[in-house]
Amino acid sequence: METDRRRPEVAPVGFTPTSETIDPATVASDMGDLAARARSLMALQEQRVLQLPLGGGFFDIVVTASGPEGYAAVKLMDEIQRTDGDRPDACGPVIEDPERSWLIWLVPPGTSAEWAPHRYAACLGRPYHVALPPMAVTEPPGPYWLRPCRGDRLVPPKALRDLLEQFRPEPAPHETLLGEVLGTIS
């Protein structure tokens, strides 16, 4: 490399300041709380409990009873979602709340709008919130990640419905109770 090589002259770069007003109506309705969501995600990274609104661009949840029937559904979902070279616990994210004997399955956003009433599960989206345990919490006491939260998958709702019909985990959580409790899980 030649250190004494002459560089060609370049015109200075000019920036022209402009003022632009963004009409709030043009901002997506779920982006108004972007700063709060970013702070929440940072809390999760810092191993603190994360309060997150359901729906939007994240996920909805399906809540079922845990117990042998619920665990059987998780194991079969591991097989359904496993791809070549995948981990044995390939199921999308599932939180277990041992105090309430619940499994909380993270499903694609919008699932709650299409989820028909189900005898063995309740599905929630907007306007509810859920408290997620820190990412490193993978065993009791308290709520923990039975299956890890990974960036490449959620639990497929159709397959989950079919498994719930097959295994019938009971008692099914009641939707009203869920709405009152979910934000307090920690």
Side-chain angles (χ1 to χ4, degrees), residues 94-166:
V94 180
I95 299 167
E96 181 167 10
D97 182 348
E99 181 180 317
R100 294 175 181 90
S101 298
W102 287 349
L103 294 178
I104 303 168
W105 308 74
L106 280 59
V107 296
T111 300
S112 64
E114 298 176 16
W115 186 271
H118 196 283
R119 181 175 178 171
Y120 304 104
C123 185
L124 296 176
R126 284 184 188 218
Y128 298 106
H129 286 70
V130 66
L132 301 178
M135 298 299 282
V137 177
T138 57
E139 57 188 41
Y144 66 95
W145 293 99
L146 181 64
R147 292 297 182 265
C149 187
R150 299 164 38 175
D152 67 340
R153 71 191 65 191
L154 292 169
V155 176
K158 168 120 179 54
L160 178 58
R161 277 187 82 89
D162 293 345
L163 290 176
L164 297 177
E165 282 298 324
Q166 179 181 347

Side-chain angles (χ1 to χ4, degrees), residues 26-67:
T26 64
V27 177
S29 62
D30 64 345
M31 294 304 286
D33 60 348
L34 181 60
R37 288 178 185 226
R39 281 191 296 276
S40 294
L41 291 172
M42 289 176 7
L44 188 63
Q45 193 106 29
E46 294 167 358
Q47 304 307 319
R48 296 181 304 185
V49 171
L50 165 65
Q51 276 280 359
L52 195 64
L54 297 174
F58 293 109
F59 50 81
D60 287 350
I61 60 171
V62 171
V63 183
T64 66
S66 58

Side-chain angles (χ1 to χ4, degrees), residues 8 10 15 55 78 126 146:
V10 181
F15 293 99
D78 283 336
R126 284 184 188 218
L146 181 64

